Amino acid sequence: MMKTTTQYGRATLSALAGFTMVASMAATPVVALAGEPAADGAAAGGTEAPAQGAAVESSQVMPADVEGTFAYDQTTLTSNDVIKTFFQRVSQAICGATVPLVADNPLGWQLSVTGDVESAFTASVGDLANEESVNKVMTCTCGGNPAGGRAIITADVKGIPVEHLLSRAGVSAEANAVTFVSSDGTQQTFPLGYVVGRHAVLSYEINDEDLSASVGGNNQLWMTKTPANYFVRDVVQIVVSTEAEAPERPALPTSTPTARTRACLRGRRTRGRAMISRMQVDVGKPVTFSGYAEDYGKQIVSVQFSLDNGAHWTTYDVSGSASELWVHWTFSYTPHEPGFYRLLVRSVNGEGAASPLADVAEFTAA
């Protein structure tokens, strides 16, 4: 069952009573990657042609149009159990985390704001949260997330707006840099305007629980449209400074087959090959797939499906989506004749870049 509080798209999202992929797929969405221009002539609900060659089985059913029921939302959250399983075991390797992922009285954690400010201060996270705290649904993606990786989550983040902390300290008019210092000495510096513009939050709860239940640690910096590699943990000091040149903005992954626009089915995959066991389904009965699409802060405008190895793509519009959150989609397709089916899915961003490596699910209808 899936619960959403806000719905978008062309069809109403409903309970996945016919979700036949659950048994053979992981509970966490996984990735197919992107970065080449989409073909000309794409239209919502229509088909387009560029080719993505693949071996064709003699019994393969290959309709040009992939008509089905499509819906999307941006409020589906990753559970803390899933976040904890992934981030506390794997994120050190993928995101380069070095801080021990243990909690020690998160609300009693002492935080200092110093540097080029009028009123430097030290206060507990709890006291600062009582002054101002926000809840915000945010998507977190590791910039080092490989093809087939699972380093992406969307969660309800509760924390202190960094803008409030800076305002409380009275930032110098000439200041142009902010450095976040972790308890282990790790430092990360950003342009001042970038931190404010990306709605930075010093989080102390994820999905209504302290961080020990999810990402680990006592607090963590979160920002929209920013790879999670920059999300400093266990921050003890925020230093405002005035530099001769403002620091560089965080680097986003480049437009290569290992980065950018993604569309994925829920399942395991690696190097573009499907790791989902081929499913046996019934002719005339719908099969429901789900997954996500995202592009490190660039808006996703469509999700596309193909059943003829990429010769034609059927496009579903998601242009009403917000760029800072993943697009969580569901798609129900009914096979009308027996045979082997190979469903490809990709996404297209607002710049027209489409996933060069589509995600794949295979099934046989009888």
Side-chain angles (χ1 to χ4, degrees):
M1 300 283 288
M2 180 183 301
K3 179 182 179 182
T4 60
T5 56
T6 305
Q7 297 174 339
Y8 304 83
R10 303 165 69 187
T12 301
L13 191 62
S14 58
L16 302 184
F19 187 32
T20 61
M21 302 184 75
V22 167
S24 61
M25 297 198 296
T28 308
V30 207
V31 176
L33 306 172
E36 66 183 12
D40 294 335
T47 59
E48 53 174 334
Q52 184 165 326
V56 179
E57 293 197 9
S58 59
S59 61
Q60 185 170 348
V61 181
M62 300 174 62
D65 294 326
V66 188
E67 298 298 335
T69 301
F70 178 85
Y72 77 97
D73 74 272
Q74 295 191 282
T75 58
T76 295
L77 303 180
T78 310
S79 72
N80 279 349
D81 287 341
V82 171
I83 296 173
K84 184 173 184 177
T85 297
F86 180 80
F87 273 85
Q88 294 202 27
R89 294 181 181 178
V90 186
S91 64
Q92 288 185 336
I94 293 183
C95 289
T98 59
V99 179
L101 306 182
V102 295
D104 179 22
N105 188 20
L107 293 180
W109 193 264
Q110 296 295 300
L111 175 69
S112 298
V113 179
T114 63
D116 291 345
V117 298
E118 296 176 0
S119 303
F121 67 86
T122 299
S124 72
V125 169
D127 287 343
L128 293 169
N130 287 334
E131 293 179 5
E132 184 164 352
S133 184
V134 297
N135 279 82
K136 185 175 181 64
V137 175
M138 304 177 77
T139 292
C140 165
T141 309
C142 281
N145 198 25
R150 291 187 288 168
I152 180 171
I153 61 174
T154 291
D156 183 7
V157 179
K158 185 175 184 179
I160 306 164
V162 173
E163 186 174 11
H164 168 70
L165 299 175
L166 299 177
S167 176
R168 188 183 195 271
V171 173
S172 166
E174 292 77 26
N176 60 4
V178 181
T179 300
F180 294 84
V181 183
S182 174
S183 60
D184 71 346
T186 300
Q187 299 186 18
Q188 187 67 61
T189 302
F190 304 94
L192 175 60
Y194 182 92
V195 171
V196 174
R198 291 298 189 275
H199 308 290
V201 172
L202 192 66
S203 66
Y204 56 86
E205 286 186 6
I206 299 291
N207 296 334
D208 299 322
E209 296 183 278
D210 67 49
L211 302 195
S212 63
S214 54
V215 297
N218 295 277
N219 62 61
Q220 185 180 33
L221 175 69
W222 281 59
M223 292 186 287
T224 61
K225 304 182 182 182
T226 303
N229 309 52
Y230 297 94
F231 288 14
V232 182
R233 298 175 189 269
D234 286 356
V235 176
V236 295
Q237 187 178 18
I238 299 174
V239 183
V240 179
S241 61
T242 303
E243 308 297 333
E245 293 185 8
E248 294 184 0
R249 296 156 61 96
L252 294 178
T254 55
S255 298
T256 70
T258 57
R260 298 290 293 274
T261 308
R262 314 166 183 216
C264 79
L265 298 160
R266 286 184 177 268
R268 301 179 183 273
R269 61 187 311 282
T270 180
R271 299 184 185 276
R273 299 296 298 170
M275 298 294 287
I276 302 167
S277 299
R278 186 179 298 184
M279 298 177 293
Q280 186 72 35
V281 303
D282 295 325
V283 172
K285 293 186 178 180
V287 184
T288 300
F289 305 88
S290 71
Y292 73 83
E294 68 88 42
D295 189 13
Y296 295 104
K298 292 185 182 295
Q299 186 190 24
I300 300 298
V301 297
S302 64
V303 176
Q304 301 178 327
F305 299 90
S306 175
L307 280 171
D308 58 3
N309 297 323
H312 299 84
W313 293 91
T314 301
T315 301
Y316 292 88
D317 178 57
V318 297
S319 59
S321 64
S323 60
E324 67 269 19
L325 296 172
W326 68 1
V327 172
H328 186 276
W329 55 263
T330 61
F331 180 65
S332 293
Y333 177 77
T334 302
H336 293 290
E337 58 182 282
F340 167 71
Y341 292 77
R342 188 171 187 266
L343 178 68
L344 277 61
V345 58
R346 71 181 188 180
S347 61
V348 179
N349 68 18
E351 297 177 353
S355 313
L357 187 61
D359 211 353
V360 182
E362 297 176 346
F363 56 97
T364 300

